[in-house]
Amino acid sequence: MSGVRVRVAAKINLSLRVGARRPDGFHDLSTVFQAISLFDDIQVRASPIGSGRTISVAGERVDGVPRDDRNLAARAAIALAEAVGQPDPDVHIDIDKAIPVAGGMAGGSADAAATLMACRALWDTEIADEELHRVAADLGSDVPFALQGGTAQGTGRGDILVPVLATGEWHWVVALNDGELSTPQVFAECDRLRSCGLSEPAPGDDSALMAALRAGSARDLAPCLVNDLQPAALSLRPSLAAVLAAGTDVGALAGLVSGSGPTCIFLAADREHAIGLAAELAGSGLVRGVRHAFGPVRGAHLIP
Ligand code: C5P
């Protein structure tokens, strides 16, 4: 049987406000996500009965990505099969990655969302959107947003989503950095810094950020970008401070760590500004690579 292909975008957090650690180990969040034009492409096809899940992964620095059921994409296929009452699924999943691995851009969650969508089409199964959302949220806090895309506010673990109006196109420069940061470790470091009085939640709320998004003003948005995980990411990876400084030195409107890092993102005024910033940052010698990306883009979707 031929396969089903799905494209899925990276996410950035324009605002990431981290509340208290809950009894289940997760933190209450208030975040504003935007899906941006860095994509993973997933192809899922049926494999012979009894072969289980097999995975191939292409892209930069993908050696550490598991090729077995530890991969969130494989777990997504299993979870969807369970939810729709199908037997243990036999599928091959091809993952072509442009979203940095363990980079704070929800690449694993994106692959899980794409696999849910691909398997739903491959198996021609009926599943209500709310049920698919529940399966997605069980897989990971960022998986529902990877399905939905656009710009959205997330609360709860980040999985309760409400669309946000963002007028026009927003241009970002994404600075890829060497190595990975573990999301649980960054959250744990955030708790540690707070318990020592070395960090505290960002004050205020996101009303000015929402107004800037509605107005389509990058200059108004710049001072509103906030990431409560940034002090923790910088504590674990002090060299990121130089990357953030380099971005603002060459004229980015603002820069911040993306999610739990170590990827950093910089806001540009428009496309030309972003292309110029990307060239300057690439020449700084401080980053592994740069990408120009725009948002918002759509959530996981079938491609021919
Ligand atoms: O939901 P997900 O599996 O992607 O989360 C990865 C890890 O990030 C969790 O195990 C937890 O340590 C941390 N996390 C958190 N609070 C959230 C989301 C994630 O503490 N709201």
Side-chain angles (χ1 to χ4, degrees):
M1 189 190 281
S2 65
V4 174
R5 293 183 67 204
V6 173
R7 175 160 291 178
V8 64
K11 66 85 188 163
I12 55 176
N13 303 82
L14 311 184
S15 162
L16 178 49
R17 296 177 182 274
V18 178
R21 188 172 183 277
R22 314 189 312 196
D24 65 3
F26 287 90
H27 293 72
D28 277 321
L29 298 185
S30 172
T31 185
V32 178
F33 292 109
Q34 185 163 88
I36 65 167
S37 62
L38 275 184
F39 301 105
D40 283 1
D41 284 346
I42 308 290
Q43 180 161 17
V44 181
R45 56 185 151 80
S47 5
I49 290 171
S51 49
R53 277 66 52 195
T54 52
I55 296 181
S56 56
V57 188
E60 282 180 20
R61 310 205 176 207
V62 295
D63 289 354
V65 177
R67 268 64 167 178
D68 56 22
D69 282 348
R70 287 170 301 162
N71 191 303
L72 207 53
R75 289 184 7 226
I78 296 167
L80 184 67
E82 257 172 38
V84 299
Q86 295 227 19
D88 195 49
D90 299 302
V91 285
H92 181 76
I93 307 171
D94 262 314
I95 305 176
D96 192 355
K97 290 201 74 65
I99 306 175
V101 175
M105 303 189 84
S109 301
D111 299 344
T115 303
L116 288 178
M117 189 149 280
C119 288
R120 180 172 69 168
L122 187 69
W123 303 334
D124 198 17
T125 184
E126 300 278 325
I127 179 167
D129 285 348
E130 308 84 71
E131 176 68 356
L132 190 68
H133 183 102
R134 189 196 58 74
V135 174
D138 282 350
L139 288 163
S141 312
D142 293 334
V143 183
F145 179 71
L147 279 176
Q148 180 171 314
T151 307
Q153 183 173 43
T155 51
R157 285 190 289 127
D159 57 324
I160 303 168
L161 298 173
V162 180
V164 165
L165 176 63
T167 304
E169 207 170 56
W170 304 81
H171 289 271
W172 303 94
V173 175
V174 177
L176 308 177
N177 290 302
D178 274 324
E180 305 180 346
L181 278 173
S182 139
T183 304
Q185 273 174 24
V186 176
F187 273 100
E189 180 67 0
C190 176
D191 290 340
R192 191 189 69 81
L193 292 176
R194 285 180 180 180
S195 68
C196 305
L198 295 171
S199 167
E200 54 186 35
D205 61 24
D206 289 330
S207 47
L209 180 138
M210 299 291 195
L213 287 172
R214 274 196 304 277
S217 167
R219 285 185 197 283
D220 289 351
L221 182 67
C224 304
L225 299 175
V226 58
N227 180 1
D228 275 349
L229 290 180
Q230 182 163 306
L234 289 173
S235 166
L236 295 171
R237 187 69 67 80
S239 60
L240 293 180
V243 176
L244 292 174
T248 38
D249 281 354
V250 298
L253 299 182
L256 79 169
V257 170
S258 175
S260 55
T263 306
C264 294
I265 51 169
F266 298 95
L267 177 61
D270 53 29
R271 178 180 297 274
E272 286 66 38
H273 186 213
I275 291 168
L277 285 176
E280 296 234 41
L281 262 178
S284 72
L286 291 169
V287 298
R288 165 165 80 76
V290 291
R291 303 281 183 271
H292 162 221
F294 59 88
V297 297
R298 58 201 284 217
H301 58 281
L302 300 177
I303 49 177

